[in-house]
């Protein structure tokens, strides 16, 4: 089946990804990347991977993290989608500043990684991507774990 794969990456290393994407504790980045390579080789038709990366101010938006991300995905034919975070009450996160997102994108693009910045819609009524889930109770204690880093 000619489908593309989208992966919620959100961090270039296991310690931060464990907090942002708790399933990473079971399937760490090394395993994820191994699966990506397998996916790309399997099948007879061309396959694509889209990495999703939500931009969180002072959490995963530094230039050093962009450089680590390059090392991680440079050998994987893919595209990267930077997603400005849509804040919601009690999330504990803020969206990266536009200048930080652009600088992050520039580092990736300079390394030859096709990188787009997703437009946000619905934020004015708390209905943007991720905001509707903001009303759900955090049973994973993700916010508490992030504060410990």
């Amino acid at each position: 089946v000619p489908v593309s794969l989208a992966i919620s990456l959100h961090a270039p290393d296991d310690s931060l990804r464990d907090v942002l994407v708790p399933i990473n504790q079971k399937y760490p980045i090394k395993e994820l990347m191994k699966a990506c390579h397998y996916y790309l080789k399997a099948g007879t038709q061309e396959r694509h991977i889209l990495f999703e990366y939500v931009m969180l101010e002072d959490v995963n938006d530094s230039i050093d993290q962009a450089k680590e991300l390059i090392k991680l995905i440079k050998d994987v034919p893919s595209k990267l989608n930077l997603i400005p975070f849509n804040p919601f009450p009690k999330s504990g996160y803020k969206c990266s500043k536009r200048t930080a997102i652009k600088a992050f994108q520039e580092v990736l693009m300079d390394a030859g990684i096709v990188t787009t910045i997703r437009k946000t819609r619905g934020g004015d009524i708390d209905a943007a991507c991720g905001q509707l889930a903001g009303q759900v109770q955090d049973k994973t204690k993700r916010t508490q774990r992030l504060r410990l880093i």
Side-chain angles (χ1 to χ4, degrees):
V1 177
V3 297
S4 294
L5 179 64
I7 296 175
S8 298
L9 190 58
H10 309 310
D13 62 77
D14 283 319
S15 61
L16 179 56
R17 193 163 190 270
D18 283 350
V19 174
L20 299 176
V21 186
I23 194 72
N24 191 71
Q25 295 169 35
K26 185 172 182 179
Y27 303 104
I29 290 176
K30 185 175 181 178
E31 293 293 318
L32 175 64
M33 299 313 290
K34 185 177 172 183
C36 288
H37 286 286
Y38 176 80
Y39 167 80
L40 290 168
K41 290 178 185 173
T44 58
Q45 298 181 353
E46 186 177 344
R47 294 177 174 221
H48 304 281
I49 294 179
L50 175 65
F51 289 106
E52 304 281 0
Y53 195 97
V54 68
M55 299 298 294
L56 303 168
E57 183 178 46
D58 299 327
V59 174
N60 67 348
D61 63 351
S62 74
I63 297 302
D64 286 340
Q65 287 164 317
K67 291 176 182 176
E68 287 300 311
L69 190 56
I70 291 165
K71 291 177 194 173
L72 181 65
I73 67 172
K74 69 180 177 188
D75 295 330
V76 179
S78 60
K79 295 179 182 178
L80 184 70
N81 192 13
L82 301 179
I83 306 168
F85 178 66
N86 294 302
F88 54 88
K90 299 182 183 179
S91 71
Y93 300 112
K94 293 180 184 177
C95 181
S96 300
K97 291 180 175 41
R98 184 77 177 161
T99 55
I101 296 172
K102 292 293 284 178
F104 199 91
Q105 179 190 36
E106 188 174 313
V107 169
L108 294 161
M109 296 283 284
D110 286 348
I113 297 173
V114 176
T115 308
T116 59
I117 299 172
R118 181 184 290 174
K119 286 185 177 183
T120 59
R121 296 187 178 113
D124 56 330
I125 58 170
D126 289 340
C129 183
Q131 288 183 319
L132 296 175
Q135 302 302 320
V136 176
Q137 187 179 28
D138 179 13
K139 293 181 182 179
T140 67
K141 309 261 189 263
R142 176 177 48 194
T143 304
Q144 290 174 342
R145 289 194 313 265
L146 183 62
R147 289 185 186 128
L148 296 176
I149 293 180

